Amino acid sequence: MKFTKSYEPGEFEPQIYAGWEKTGVFLPREVVANSFETETQDCYSLVMPPPNANGNLHIGHGLTIAVEDSLARYYRLRGKSTWYIPGADHAGFETWVVYERALEKDGHSRFEYSRDELYARVWKFVEEQRGNMELQLRALGASCAWRDLTFTLDENVVSRVYKTFEKMWNDGMIYRGEKLVNFCPKHQTAFADIEVEHVDEEGGLWEIAYKVASVPEDMVDSSSDFLAHELIVSTTRPETIFGDTAVAVNPKDERYQWMIGGLVELPLTGRTIPIIADEHADPEYGTGAVKITPAHDFDDFEVGERHGLERIRVISEDGRMLETAGEEFVGLTTEEARKKVLKELEEQGLLRGEKKITHAVGRCYKCGTRLEPMLKAQWFIDVERLAKGAIEKLEAEKIKFYPANKKKVLIDYLKGLKDWNISRQIPWGIPIPMFHKAPESDALDAPEWIFDTRTNLAKIEVGGVAYYRDEDTFDTWFSSSHWPIVCTNWLPGKENPYYPLNVMETASDILFAWVARMIMMGVYVTGEVPFREVYLHGLVLDAHGKKMSKSKGNVINPMELVTKYGSDAFRLGILRGRSAGMNQAFSENSVVSGRNLCNKLWNISRFIQGMVDESKSGGVVAAEMIEAEAGSEIVNEGAVQAGVELPYSTDNMGEDWICREIIKCKEEIEDDMAAYRFSEAVETLYNTIWDKYADWFIENQKLYKNVPLLKVTLEMILKMLHPFAPFVTEAIWQSLSWTEGQLIVQKWPSRLKFDAVSAENFERLVDVVSEIRRVSNELSVASNGKRWTVLYGDDSLVDDNQLLIASLARVPAVISCEGQPRGMRLALANHEVYLDVPKEVVAEYRERLEERILAVGRELDALNRRMMNSNYVDKAPAELVKETRKGIEEKERVIEGLKAELEVIG
RNA sequence: GGUUCUUUAGCUCAGUUGGCUAGAGCGCACGAUUCACAUUCGUGAGGUCACAAGUUCGAGCCUUGUAAGAACCACCA
């Protein structure tokens, strides 16, 4: 391949990815069971949170893949048998909403079809959509094992879920309960608590008079006029009045104590209902008396349980009033009914007040419809045992969290967890494997229900008795909670080196919905935690730190950025400045900066290839030789075993220095990856490649042309950047004339030999060059861009590197002053170096020089003050004090030099 | 209402166990230009580390309080 002038991602990415996929490098190495007793396979496993099969990837997926694939590629390079398992989610409710919308658009309704028909139709719909999502994952560079892609409705998932359900059923953890559930009247399904979106909104708080009809007998005497009394209740939902079965007051509330046990007349109905005492009534709120509607309010349901109250349903599943609301109201929507109720109460003079309040209302997170608390028979999981198992493992530190504080948050959540409603009234999902006796039965008793996995049949016969299938499906999270178990093919009693997963990476906002449930289920099913570490990423916000939303129009489409700047640029950009659990702004800027790095690396490689081509002596260099003899030991101070012939040598300070810097970079990346500090790893690479390798080393090599070293160092850089920018590094690797095979499966670099003293000396040279540049720049403004010759005195560093300094500092020449210094002395870098400028030009510089003397003086004062503090000298570590002393000496010397300069100027 | 987190340069963020003169990218200003790269090179300006008190020889970092913001959880009728 020829190196073009700039890197064009679009020309390489598709074929590079296809090349990887074809050669099977994404697959884990096969584990040979018990091949050697002592050999333990070094495995690394992680699963992809399955994106919705029906949709496109959004920016959150982009971050997910960038993070996970970096881990997968890094550990693959580190030599581990890496298994990154992709998935696709049937996303029960989500997909259903999309499908139902399409159905309605065609003028159809779900009620025209049987459940089995609907299931088949959605399956087809999803199958058509799924390829799209998978293409996008490839475009992002996900190095996942496509062979093992798991769809959440795959047979092995369903059978595993059924096994768990059966175990729970046998363990008595599943029960059918008639409870209030959050119900969406539009989508006609119930939700788990976790799925409800609470929105603060303005609402009314009405006060309604309930006439007292009787009081307890012993109170009749003292309050003979009780019939004249009324009890004023406060409510936000007047339309549920028809379902009231009591009025509650606080037992400690002195105003109402005497009426407890009495009756009130329920307006608009002619019924009388009891006045009961319950802590639920807050004397401070409203009038202190609250109407109790057990069938339509969560609190009231519990009050009803405590007092054995009747539950009267007055609202139907489609959000309209039932017959129980009376002839005049039946069929009205809740909104209409509310208006009518209020109007009639007003006419009867029973409406006593109306206040505006703000309260949280549960809404459907998909359509925004107000959720109706609905009395329904559903399957519930008694979560006590699940939660207990998970909490024990968490408290025993079996899982490490990034960020660490999430562990506590999770334990707190698990401690307060309520029973889990797993029934959903949508056809798209895993059918609940339960059958009941009577076709229309709403029976609750366990004997009426049997477990059976033949959910493809609506009716089955067992022991000569007919049973009918429960038409509900499982909550998606119930099956998702098995994800690590099913993806790794965990089986009871069978050794599986990929379970638990090494890491679970996902969005921090599904900590409760998913991570918590995976832990509970993992512990319950396998006895072990499902993963050893959890890395949570935050939300990707827009450039101004605002949450992205369609309505705001600030949504960034990751695929557009990939097309425009390349996959690597996107990955580098989105990892930049991001830390665990934090929501973080993201903009095209950071992607541009990633694109620039890719192009920089491309051009570095292009330049090095050019030098390789030029060099006649540059035969084949076996870079692998260093790797081959390296073992696991990491040496960074040049201590290489004697007798090993290296394929390169370092012949000058710059070469020693770059070796040192690359090794430092490598070690930092290793630390960063172990602690999931992706942002820092990328930052370090960016800085090493650009500011060190290109700006100093490559410039240095324009003079020295150490081809073997150029090859070795470039290879190392490509390997180190590969986890984050897989495409450009692979494209370069395969374009270079001397490299073989694919970069993705190379060995992580181990070490370089270099002279540490020499490397340190290069820093001095950098100081000298920087100062020449700085002063020349300042002077050039005053002298029309003229560059001045550099003179030097008795200084071996400069003497040995005249050409290099001249070229790096871009001055006409660096020559010895032959014992006759003239011009301006540069004092900061601590070398005898002069800029050969005429006095009149130097005079322009006087002011700056004076400023600098003052600045250094201030620093010197600070150090002196510290040394004058006897507490500091006594208590601070001796090393630090020594350093301070050294600092003082140095500053004093610098000031002396600067003052001497000033005198020369005169 | 509860929990957790955040507040550092114009913008977006680093700053890992307290240690000297607080860093990066972008943006901005000035300068360069055929020799890998204008997706370039060099130089520079820009900060009371939200505020207050405390611990310490020493605080961006630890403690307490205050203010502002965010996310998640939550039944206030």
Short mmCIF file of all heavy atoms in Angstrom, two decimals, chain A residues 605-654:
data_model
loop_
_atom_site.label_atom_id
_atom_site.label_comp_id
_atom_site.label_asym_id
_atom_site.label_seq_id
_atom_site.Cartn_x
_atom_site.Cartn_y
_atom_site.Cartn_z
N SER A 605 4.26 7.83 10.02
CA SER A 605 4.55 6.53 9.41
C SER A 605 5.02 6.69 7.97
O SER A 605 5.94 6.02 7.51
CB SER A 605 3.30 5.65 9.44
OG SER A 605 2.75 5.64 10.72
N ARG A 606 4.36 7.59 7.29
CA ARG A 606 4.71 7.87 5.90
C ARG A 606 6.16 8.34 5.79
O ARG A 606 6.93 7.90 4.94
CB ARG A 606 3.76 8.95 5.39
CG ARG A 606 4.00 9.40 4.00
CD ARG A 606 2.96 10.44 3.62
NE ARG A 606 3.23 10.99 2.32
CZ ARG A 606 3.09 12.27 2.02
NH1 ARG A 606 2.65 13.11 2.92
NH2 ARG A 606 3.36 12.69 0.81
N PHE A 607 6.54 9.19 6.73
CA PHE A 607 7.88 9.73 6.75
C PHE A 607 8.92 8.65 7.08
O PHE A 607 9.97 8.54 6.45
CB PHE A 607 7.94 10.86 7.79
CG PHE A 607 9.26 11.56 7.85
CD1 PHE A 607 9.71 12.31 6.78
CD2 PHE A 607 10.05 11.47 8.98
CE1 PHE A 607 10.92 12.97 6.84
CE2 PHE A 607 11.27 12.13 9.05
CZ PHE A 607 11.71 12.88 7.98
N ILE A 608 8.56 7.82 8.06
CA ILE A 608 9.49 6.76 8.46
C ILE A 608 9.64 5.75 7.32
O ILE A 608 10.75 5.31 7.01
CB ILE A 608 9.01 6.07 9.76
CG1 ILE A 608 9.17 7.05 10.93
CG2 ILE A 608 9.80 4.78 10.03
CD1 ILE A 608 8.64 6.56 12.25
N GLN A 609 8.52 5.42 6.68
CA GLN A 609 8.60 4.49 5.54
C GLN A 609 9.53 5.08 4.47
O GLN A 609 10.33 4.36 3.86
CB GLN A 609 7.20 4.25 4.97
CG GLN A 609 7.19 3.27 3.79
CD GLN A 609 7.61 1.86 4.22
OE1 GLN A 609 6.99 1.26 5.08
NE2 GLN A 609 8.67 1.34 3.62
N GLY A 610 9.43 6.38 4.28
CA GLY A 610 10.30 7.04 3.32
C GLY A 610 11.77 6.87 3.67
O GLY A 610 12.60 6.58 2.81
N MET A 611 12.09 7.00 4.94
CA MET A 611 13.47 6.85 5.38
C MET A 611 13.93 5.41 5.24
O MET A 611 15.09 5.14 4.90
CB MET A 611 13.63 7.33 6.82
CG MET A 611 13.61 8.84 6.92
SD MET A 611 14.49 9.43 8.37
CE MET A 611 13.16 9.58 9.50
N VAL A 612 13.01 4.49 5.53
CA VAL A 612 13.34 3.06 5.40
C VAL A 612 13.66 2.76 3.94
O VAL A 612 14.65 2.08 3.62
CB VAL A 612 12.18 2.19 5.90
CG1 VAL A 612 12.41 0.71 5.53
CG2 VAL A 612 12.01 2.33 7.40
N ASP A 613 12.84 3.30 3.04
CA ASP A 613 13.05 3.06 1.62
C ASP A 613 14.40 3.61 1.16
O ASP A 613 15.09 3.02 0.34
CB ASP A 613 11.93 3.71 0.80
CG ASP A 613 10.59 3.03 1.04
OD1 ASP A 613 10.60 1.90 1.56
OD2 ASP A 613 9.54 3.64 0.73
N GLU A 614 14.76 4.77 1.72
CA GLU A 614 16.00 5.42 1.34
C GLU A 614 17.24 4.66 1.80
O GLU A 614 18.23 4.60 1.11
CB GLU A 614 16.06 6.81 1.99
CG GLU A 614 15.63 7.93 1.09
CD GLU A 614 15.68 9.24 1.86
OE1 GLU A 614 16.66 9.46 2.62
OE2 GLU A 614 14.72 10.03 1.73
N SER A 615 17.13 4.14 3.02
CA SER A 615 18.32 3.57 3.63
C SER A 615 18.70 2.27 2.93
O SER A 615 17.93 1.32 2.90
CB SER A 615 18.11 3.33 5.12
OG SER A 615 17.47 2.11 5.31
N LYS A 616 19.88 2.26 2.40
CA LYS A 616 20.31 1.07 1.65
C LYS A 616 20.68 -0.04 2.62
O LYS A 616 20.52 -1.21 2.36
CB LYS A 616 21.49 1.44 0.77
CG LYS A 616 21.12 2.54 -0.21
CD LYS A 616 21.91 2.37 -1.49
CE LYS A 616 21.34 3.21 -2.61
NZ LYS A 616 21.29 4.64 -2.30
N SER A 617 21.23 0.37 3.75
CA SER A 617 21.70 -0.64 4.69
C SER A 617 20.57 -1.21 5.52
O SER A 617 20.76 -2.17 6.25
CB SER A 617 22.74 -0.01 5.62
OG SER A 617 22.12 1.08 6.28
N GLY A 618 19.41 -0.59 5.43
CA GLY A 618 18.30 -1.01 6.29
C GLY A 618 17.71 -2.34 5.89
O GLY A 618 16.64 -2.40 5.30
N GLY A 619 18.38 -3.41 6.20
CA GLY A 619 17.87 -4.74 5.90
C GLY A 619 16.69 -5.08 6.77
O GLY A 619 16.09 -4.21 7.40
N VAL A 620 16.35 -6.32 6.79
CA VAL A 620 15.19 -6.75 7.57
C VAL A 620 15.54 -6.70 9.06
O VAL A 620 16.55 -7.23 9.50
CB VAL A 620 14.78 -8.18 7.18
CG1 VAL A 620 13.60 -8.62 8.03
CG2 VAL A 620 14.44 -8.22 5.71
N VAL A 621 14.71 -6.03 9.79
CA VAL A 621 14.92 -5.94 11.23
C VAL A 621 13.85 -6.74 11.93
O VAL A 621 12.67 -6.54 11.71
CB VAL A 621 14.84 -4.47 11.70
CG1 VAL A 621 14.92 -4.40 13.21
CG2 VAL A 621 15.96 -3.68 11.06
N ALA A 622 14.30 -7.64 12.73
CA ALA A 622 13.34 -8.47 13.44
C ALA A 622 12.94 -7.81 14.75
O ALA A 622 13.56 -8.01 15.78
CB ALA A 622 13.93 -9.85 13.70
N ALA A 623 11.93 -7.00 14.67
CA ALA A 623 11.48 -6.30 15.88
C ALA A 623 10.98 -7.29 16.92
O ALA A 623 11.06 -7.05 18.11
CB ALA A 623 10.38 -5.33 15.52
N GLU A 624 10.50 -8.39 16.44
CA GLU A 624 9.96 -9.39 17.35
C GLU A 624 11.02 -9.93 18.30
O GLU A 624 10.73 -10.51 19.32
CB GLU A 624 9.32 -10.55 16.59
CG GLU A 624 7.96 -10.22 15.98
CD GLU A 624 8.07 -9.27 14.80
OE1 GLU A 624 9.16 -9.23 14.18
OE2 GLU A 624 7.09 -8.58 14.51
N MET A 625 12.29 -9.78 17.90
CA MET A 625 13.35 -10.30 18.74
C MET A 625 13.30 -9.75 20.15
O MET A 625 13.52 -10.47 21.11
CB MET A 625 14.71 -9.97 18.13
CG MET A 625 15.15 -10.99 17.11
SD MET A 625 16.76 -10.55 16.47
CE MET A 625 17.74 -10.64 17.97
N ILE A 626 13.01 -8.48 20.25
CA ILE A 626 12.95 -7.91 21.60
C ILE A 626 11.82 -8.56 22.36
O ILE A 626 11.94 -8.92 23.51
CB ILE A 626 12.65 -6.40 21.58
CG1 ILE A 626 13.29 -5.75 20.39
CG2 ILE A 626 13.05 -5.78 22.89
CD1 ILE A 626 12.86 -4.30 20.27
N GLU A 627 10.72 -8.70 21.67
CA GLU A 627 9.55 -9.27 22.33
C GLU A 627 9.84 -10.69 22.75
O GLU A 627 9.50 -11.13 23.83
CB GLU A 627 8.35 -9.27 21.37
CG GLU A 627 8.22 -8.04 20.51
CD GLU A 627 7.84 -6.82 21.32
OE1 GLU A 627 7.58 -6.99 22.52
OE2 GLU A 627 7.82 -5.71 20.75
N ALA A 628 10.47 -11.42 21.85
CA ALA A 628 10.66 -12.85 22.06
C ALA A 628 11.44 -13.14 23.34
O ALA A 628 11.10 -14.05 24.08
CB ALA A 628 11.36 -13.45 20.86
N GLU A 629 12.43 -12.32 23.61
CA GLU A 629 13.23 -12.63 24.77
C GLU A 629 12.79 -11.86 26.02
O GLU A 629 13.40 -11.97 27.06
CB GLU A 629 14.71 -12.38 24.47
CG GLU A 629 15.05 -11.00 23.91
CD GLU A 629 15.15 -9.94 24.98
OE1 GLU A 629 15.55 -10.29 26.11
OE2 GLU A 629 14.83 -8.79 24.69
N ALA A 630 11.73 -11.14 25.89
CA ALA A 630 11.40 -10.22 26.97
C ALA A 630 10.75 -10.87 28.18
O ALA A 630 10.99 -10.48 29.30
CB ALA A 630 10.50 -9.12 26.44
N GLY A 631 9.92 -11.87 27.94
CA GLY A 631 9.21 -12.46 29.07
C GLY A 631 8.27 -11.45 29.68
O GLY A 631 7.85 -10.50 29.02
N SER A 632 7.95 -11.62 30.93
CA SER A 632 6.99 -10.72 31.54
C SER A 632 7.67 -9.56 32.26
O SER A 632 7.03 -8.61 32.65
CB SER A 632 6.14 -11.50 32.54
OG SER A 632 6.99 -12.06 33.52
N GLU A 633 8.96 -9.66 32.41
CA GLU A 633 9.68 -8.62 33.14
C GLU A 633 9.70 -7.31 32.36
O GLU A 633 9.89 -7.28 31.14
CB GLU A 633 11.12 -9.09 33.36
CG GLU A 633 11.90 -8.21 34.33
CD GLU A 633 13.39 -8.51 34.25
OE1 GLU A 633 13.79 -9.31 33.39
OE2 GLU A 633 14.12 -7.92 35.04
N ILE A 634 9.50 -6.26 33.07
CA ILE A 634 9.54 -4.96 32.40
C ILE A 634 10.75 -4.19 32.91
O ILE A 634 10.91 -3.97 34.10
CB ILE A 634 8.26 -4.16 32.68
CG1 ILE A 634 7.09 -4.83 31.97
CG2 ILE A 634 8.41 -2.73 32.19
CD1 ILE A 634 5.75 -4.36 32.44
N VAL A 635 11.59 -3.80 32.01
CA VAL A 635 12.79 -3.08 32.40
C VAL A 635 12.75 -1.71 31.74
O VAL A 635 12.50 -1.60 30.56
CB VAL A 635 14.05 -3.82 31.93
CG1 VAL A 635 15.30 -3.04 32.33
CG2 VAL A 635 14.08 -5.20 32.50
N ASN A 636 12.95 -0.69 32.50
CA ASN A 636 12.86 0.63 31.86
C ASN A 636 14.12 1.46 32.06
O ASN A 636 14.17 2.60 31.67
CB ASN A 636 11.65 1.38 32.38
CG ASN A 636 11.76 1.68 33.85
OD1 ASN A 636 12.76 1.33 34.48
ND2 ASN A 636 10.75 2.31 34.39
N GLU A 637 15.11 0.90 32.67
CA GLU A 637 16.31 1.70 32.88
C GLU A 637 17.49 1.16 32.06
O GLU A 637 18.64 1.35 32.39
CB GLU A 637 16.68 1.74 34.37
CG GLU A 637 15.69 2.53 35.21
CD GLU A 637 15.62 4.01 34.82
OE1 GLU A 637 16.65 4.56 34.42
OE2 GLU A 637 14.52 4.60 34.90
N GLY A 638 17.17 0.51 31.03
CA GLY A 638 18.23 0.09 30.14
C GLY A 638 18.95 -1.17 30.57
O GLY A 638 19.94 -1.56 29.97
N ALA A 639 18.46 -1.76 31.65
CA ALA A 639 19.15 -2.97 32.11
C ALA A 639 18.68 -4.18 31.31
O ALA A 639 17.65 -4.77 31.58
CB ALA A 639 18.87 -3.18 33.59
N VAL A 640 19.39 -4.51 30.30
CA VAL A 640 19.01 -5.65 29.48
C VAL A 640 20.05 -6.74 29.70
O VAL A 640 21.24 -6.50 29.82
CB VAL A 640 18.97 -5.23 28.00
CG1 VAL A 640 19.01 -6.44 27.09
CG2 VAL A 640 17.72 -4.41 27.72
N GLN A 641 19.53 -7.94 29.76
CA GLN A 641 20.43 -9.07 29.99
C GLN A 641 21.59 -9.06 29.01
O GLN A 641 21.42 -8.78 27.83
CB GLN A 641 19.67 -10.38 29.81
CG GLN A 641 18.63 -10.63 30.88
CD GLN A 641 17.52 -11.50 30.36
OE1 GLN A 641 16.91 -11.20 29.34
NE2 GLN A 641 17.29 -12.60 31.04
N ALA A 642 22.73 -9.39 29.53
CA ALA A 642 23.91 -9.41 28.68
C ALA A 642 23.80 -10.53 27.66
O ALA A 642 23.13 -11.53 27.89
CB ALA A 642 25.15 -9.61 29.53
N GLY A 643 24.43 -10.35 26.56
CA GLY A 643 24.51 -11.42 25.58
C GLY A 643 23.35 -11.44 24.61
O GLY A 643 23.34 -12.21 23.67
N VAL A 644 22.32 -10.58 24.83
CA VAL A 644 21.20 -10.56 23.89
C VAL A 644 21.47 -9.49 22.84
O VAL A 644 21.66 -8.32 23.17
CB VAL A 644 19.87 -10.26 24.61
CG1 VAL A 644 18.74 -10.19 23.60
CG2 VAL A 644 19.60 -11.34 25.65
N GLU A 645 21.44 -9.89 21.63
CA GLU A 645 21.70 -8.92 20.57
C GLU A 645 20.41 -8.21 20.21
O GLU A 645 19.40 -8.84 19.89
CB GLU A 645 22.27 -9.63 19.35
CG GLU A 645 22.93 -8.66 18.40
CD GLU A 645 23.45 -9.37 17.17
OE1 GLU A 645 23.92 -10.52 17.31
OE2 GLU A 645 23.34 -8.79 16.08
N LEU A 646 20.41 -6.91 20.28
CA LEU A 646 19.20 -6.15 19.98
C LEU A 646 19.22 -5.73 18.52
O LEU A 646 20.28 -5.51 17.94
CB LEU A 646 19.14 -4.92 20.87
CG LEU A 646 18.95 -5.21 22.36
CD1 LEU A 646 19.12 -3.94 23.16
CD2 LEU A 646 17.60 -5.84 22.62
N PRO A 647 18.03 -5.58 17.95
CA PRO A 647 17.95 -5.20 16.54
C PRO A 647 18.14 -3.71 16.32
O PRO A 647 17.99 -3.24 15.21
CB PRO A 647 16.53 -5.63 16.17
CG PRO A 647 15.78 -5.54 17.43
CD PRO A 647 16.74 -5.86 18.54
N TYR A 648 18.44 -2.99 17.37
CA TYR A 648 18.64 -1.55 17.20
C TYR A 648 19.65 -1.10 18.23
O TYR A 648 19.97 -1.81 19.18
CB TYR A 648 17.33 -0.78 17.41
CG TYR A 648 16.88 -0.83 18.84
CD1 TYR A 648 17.26 0.16 19.74
CD2 TYR A 648 16.12 -1.89 19.30
CE1 TYR A 648 16.89 0.09 21.06
CE2 TYR A 648 15.75 -1.98 20.62
CZ TYR A 648 16.14 -1.00 21.50
OH TYR A 648 15.79 -1.07 22.81
N SER A 649 20.12 0.11 18.07
CA SER A 649 20.97 0.70 19.11
C SER A 649 20.56 2.15 19.26
O SER A 649 19.92 2.72 18.38
CB SER A 649 22.43 0.61 18.67
OG SER A 649 22.57 1.32 17.45
N THR A 650 20.90 2.74 20.41
CA THR A 650 20.64 4.17 20.57
C THR A 650 21.98 4.87 20.50
O THR A 650 22.90 4.56 21.25
CB THR A 650 19.96 4.46 21.93
OG1 THR A 650 20.74 3.87 22.97
CG2 THR A 650 18.56 3.88 21.96
N ASP A 651 22.08 5.83 19.58
CA ASP A 651 23.38 6.43 19.30
C ASP A 651 23.49 7.88 19.72
O ASP A 651 24.52 8.50 19.57
CB ASP A 651 23.69 6.32 17.80
CG ASP A 651 23.62 4.87 17.35
OD1 ASP A 651 23.95 3.99 18.17
OD2 ASP A 651 23.21 4.63 16.20
N ASN A 652 22.38 8.47 20.18
CA ASN A 652 22.47 9.84 20.68
C ASN A 652 21.40 10.09 21.72
O ASN A 652 20.50 9.25 21.92
CB ASN A 652 22.38 10.84 19.52
CG ASN A 652 21.03 10.79 18.83
OD1 ASN A 652 20.02 11.08 19.45
ND2 ASN A 652 21.02 10.39 17.57
N MET A 653 21.52 11.23 22.38
CA MET A 653 20.63 11.53 23.50
C MET A 653 19.15 11.46 23.13
O MET A 653 18.34 10.94 23.89
CB MET A 653 20.91 12.94 24.00
CG MET A 653 22.30 13.15 24.52
SD MET A 653 22.45 14.80 25.20
CE MET A 653 21.93 15.78 23.82
N GLY A 654 18.80 11.99 21.98
CA GLY A 654 17.40 12.01 21.57
C GLY A 654 16.84 10.60 21.44
O GLY A 654 15.67 10.34 21.75
#
